[in-house]
Amino acid sequence: MATSLQLSLFRVCTGSDSYGGRCVALPYRKSISVRCTGDSTSSSSVPVDPDDFDAKAFRHKLTRSKNYNKKGFGHKEETLELMNQDYTSVIIKKLKDNGNEYRWGNVTVKLAEAYGFCWGVERAVQIAYEARRQFPDKRIWITNEIIHNPTVNKRLEEMEIKNIPVEKGKKQFGVVSKGDVVVLPAFGAAVDEMLALNDKNVQIVDTTCSWVSKVWNAVEKHKKGEYTSIIHGKYAHEETIAPASFAGTYIIVKNMTEAMYVCDYILEGELNGSSSTKEAFLEKFKYAISKGFDPDLDLVKAGIANQTTMLKGETEEIGKLVERTVMRKYGVENVNDHFISFNTICHATQERQDAMFKLVKEDVDLMIVVGGWNSSNTSHLQEISEDRGIPSYWIDSEQRIGPGNRIAHKLKRGELVETENWLPEGPITIGVTSGASTPDKVNSLSCQIPLQCYRVWFDYNLCVSKFFLSFM
């Protein structure tokens, strides 16, 4: 049976008995339509008027309800021990204890200074572990992958933490029942998803990273000041969909080229001539703009925000470009009336990118970049290495290596390729880094296989393989 959502639903369920491929973008996220069905077959949905709906007020009340938890359940010590067993590596510790560089036989491995699990990811996974510990007999759902790493997501599946099923691009919240537990992933959840869960009176376990929430706060400030949010991100990415749902008017730009197009339109073709008509503009960004977007009216005042896992330097350059464009259009003295910007770049993403820029300057023969193939921050680490001209192999697990001297990997733009004879003969130096969602154990296994291959093919020291095999 469908349950209607009215604006009076700013109430938040507080009943104490409640304890217990690729993402497809939904265009025009501003228009909120929520599935609140009592069964998985019903298709009823009730729209919420976006002009009257206060997403910030709703989120504020939701986070203060008895059915909401963001801090864990007091099982931190035991769940961290479980995570150590699942994800840590003696080999990575060996590298860290030796200045992030170690030589085994004729193979030298250099590990980036900053890599792998960030604080927000570790916290998200740890709280998901706590949820299973706290609710051993409850059905637990998660609205998206907890993080973009197949090893971690598989482990959660083994713990019977299930993904909300998706049909034809829509999440089927009808499978969720009163009394279930629902985990919000590190990337957060869109407003319409929070509304649906609130209406169902379930226990919400929120693992949203604080840096992601910071972006939400930024776009809410844009909305309050009647600025259009120019979001640097990928419109189909969970971490962009969520802040867009909190924004008022928005446009999502993927890179500097798209930002130049927008700014050229603002300047009526006087920037670089890349833009065209209003109709062409709307067609180009049809999946990346809010409902009713009018570039002639909605780009008069603009604020910058970003998907936190984008390239730091590119986000900064886009912000500077928009600011210069506004100055040129309206005059330097009026810039504050037409442009606003808050720093929403994630420190962990920045640190991993800075470490990668440093690593590619060193003498490495090839680079192994480890991270989920749908991980935005990992794709940018790959981009840094590729742009430097270093043979670079982005893999999501050690299973992509072999058989033989072969590797299946992705390039910076997402193309999946297979490379033969990727390991050259002779002494070699391998650079290794990983995205913020990658555990040490996956990094370790990704190093072990090349070293074992060297023993088989080139008869290097037997001790190399014995050392690594002892930790398998």
Side-chain angles (χ1 to χ4, degrees), residues 77-92:
E77 185 174 338
E78 58 191 281
T79 51
L80 283 177
E81 178 58 33
L82 284 174
M83 288 175 62
N84 285 335
Q85 295 172 18
D86 288 341
Y87 306 124
T88 57
S89 161
V90 176
I91 294 172
I92 297 300

Side-chain angles (χ1 to χ4, degrees), residues 94 154 156 162 243 273 345 358 371 417 421 430 434 456 467:
K94 183 77 171 179
K154 184 176 184 298
L156 293 184
K162 301 177 181 179
I345 296 172
K358 184 175 180 180
V417 297
N421 301 316
I430 301 175
S434 58
V456 173
F467 178 82

Side-chain angles (χ1 to χ4, degrees), residues 426-437:
I428 187 173
T429 299
I430 301 175
V432 177
T433 190
S434 58
S437 297

Side-chain angles (χ1 to χ4, degrees), residues 157-168:
E157 288 177 10
E158 293 169 352
M159 296 165 62
E160 296 189 358
I161 298 177
K162 301 177 181 179
N163 291 321
I164 300 287
V166 177
E167 293 182 10
K168 297 181 180 180

Side-chain angles (χ1 to χ4, degrees), residues 253-379:
V253 296
K254 183 179 180 180
N255 49 37
M256 193 65 172
T257 301
E258 291 190 354
M260 290 282 283
Y261 186 100
V262 171
C263 290
D264 186 70
Y265 189 89
I266 293 172
L267 295 175
E268 300 178 32
E270 295 184 2
L271 180 62
N272 63 359
S274 61
S275 66
S276 181
T277 64
K278 177 178 178 178
E279 291 72 24
F281 185 104
L282 293 174
E283 176 64 24
K284 181 178 179 66
F285 293 101
K286 61 183 178 181
Y287 296 120
I289 51 178
S290 52
K291 186 176 182 179
F293 188 92
D294 185 338
D296 295 335
L297 302 176
D298 295 328
L299 293 174
V300 174
K301 297 175 67 176
I304 299 295
N306 74 309
Q307 177 184 318
T308 64
T309 50
M310 301 300 282
L311 274 174
K312 166 199 170 187
E314 189 170 46
T315 294
E316 291 175 336
E317 286 304 311
I318 289 172
K320 292 175 183 177
L321 172 65
V322 175
E323 184 177 31
R324 290 194 303 268
T325 299
V326 166
M327 288 180 179
R328 183 172 168 180
K329 179 80 171 181
Y330 301 105
V332 175
E333 69 278 8
N334 298 313
V335 64
N336 291 333
D337 295 328
H338 297 273
F339 176 77
I340 188 171
S341 180
F342 303 99
N343 180 14
T344 57
I345 296 172
C346 168
H347 285 176
T349 298
Q350 178 180 332
E351 288 168 357
R352 279 147 189 76
Q353 291 173 6
D354 291 345
M356 189 60 161
F357 278 117
K358 184 175 180 180
L359 184 58
V360 297
K361 293 179 182 178
E362 299 189 22
D363 186 17
V364 295
D365 297 294
L366 61 89
M367 191 78 67
I368 298 176
V369 179
V370 189
W373 279 347
N374 55 348
S375 167
S376 178
N377 76 88
T378 307
S379 74

Side-chain angles (χ1 to χ4, degrees), residues 127-179:
I127 291 179
Y129 273 54
E130 279 203 46
R132 175 43 75 200
R133 171 67 177 80
Q134 180 71 14
F135 305 107
D137 301 320
K138 294 285 186 180
R139 292 200 309 170
I140 301 182
W141 303 93
I142 187 164
T143 59
N144 264 314
E145 294 179 336
I146 185 79
I147 58 174
H148 286 152
N149 183 270
T151 300
V152 175
N153 293 321
K154 184 176 184 298
R155 181 71 184 97
L156 293 184
E157 288 177 10
E158 293 169 352
M159 296 165 62
E160 296 189 358
I161 298 177
K162 301 177 181 179
N163 291 321
I164 300 287
V166 177
E167 293 182 10
K168 297 181 180 180
K170 293 184 178 181
K171 295 177 186 175
Q172 303 300 302
F173 285 97
V175 301
V176 181
S177 302
K178 180 179 178 180

